[in-house]
Amino acid sequence: QVQLVESGGGLVQPGGSLRLSCAASGRIFSFYRMGWYRQALGKERELVASITRGGSTGYADSVKGRFTISRDNAKNTVYLQMNSLKPEDTAVYYCYADLTSTWSPEAHDYWGQGTQITVSS
């Protein structure tokens, strides 16, 4: 019943910006942790960024200084502001959410459907 719905993907030129949104539908009051993975063609899934209910954040080294994760707890929505985009950022981006603090990267409670980000001239 509960779903995470992603929006904001698309095609952007190198150096450009995009903002991804991931909103929960269904009756969920709060997530402990929400975040984003990405997976490029031929590569393994990579954790991009995470944010806890209290606002603690973490980022992959590859995106530090360029991406910013935030959340609106009242809306159960997580955002990923992506600036200074590079071709290497091209991937399918998936949001996730966990109800508890337990870290289980292969068993997150909820997943978004994925949205394609393509950075190209």
Side-chain angles (χ1 to χ4, degrees):
Q1 190 67 270
V2 174
Q3 292 184 295
L4 302 181
V5 181
E6 301 179 27
S7 62
L11 175 66
V12 64
Q13 295 188 149
S17 297
L18 285 173
R19 193 186 196 201
L20 301 181
S21 298
C22 174
S25 64
R27 201 157 183 81
I28 292 292
F29 296 105
S30 181
F31 295 110
Y32 175 76
R33 184 187 298 106
M34 304 181 76
W36 298 87
Y37 286 85
R38 67 185 181 186
Q39 187 164 26
L41 284 175
K43 296 186 177 181
E44 294 185 355
R45 185 182 63 187
E46 175 188 26
L47 180 62
V48 175
S50 295
I51 185 167
T52 68
R53 179 68 172 81
S56 297
T57 60
Y59 297 91
D61 288 341
S62 58
V63 307
K64 285 181 179 177
R66 300 188 297 119
F67 291 10
T68 302
I69 189 169
S70 61
R71 63 187 287 174
D72 184 333
N73 292 328
K75 297 180 180 179
N76 270 334
T77 299
V78 64
Y79 306 94
L80 187 67
Q81 179 67 45
M82 303 183 293
N83 298 327
S84 302
L85 283 162
K86 305 175 180 180
E88 307 94 270
D89 297 317
T90 296
V92 177
Y93 285 68
Y94 300 89
C95 66
Y96 80 90
D98 288 326
L99 293 169
T100 72
S101 63
T102 301
W103 181 248
S104 300
E106 300 302 325
H108 291 299
D109 291 326
Y110 301 100
W111 288 92
Q113 80 278 13
T115 185
Q116 177 71 49
I117 303 299
T118 301
V119 184
S120 176
S121 298

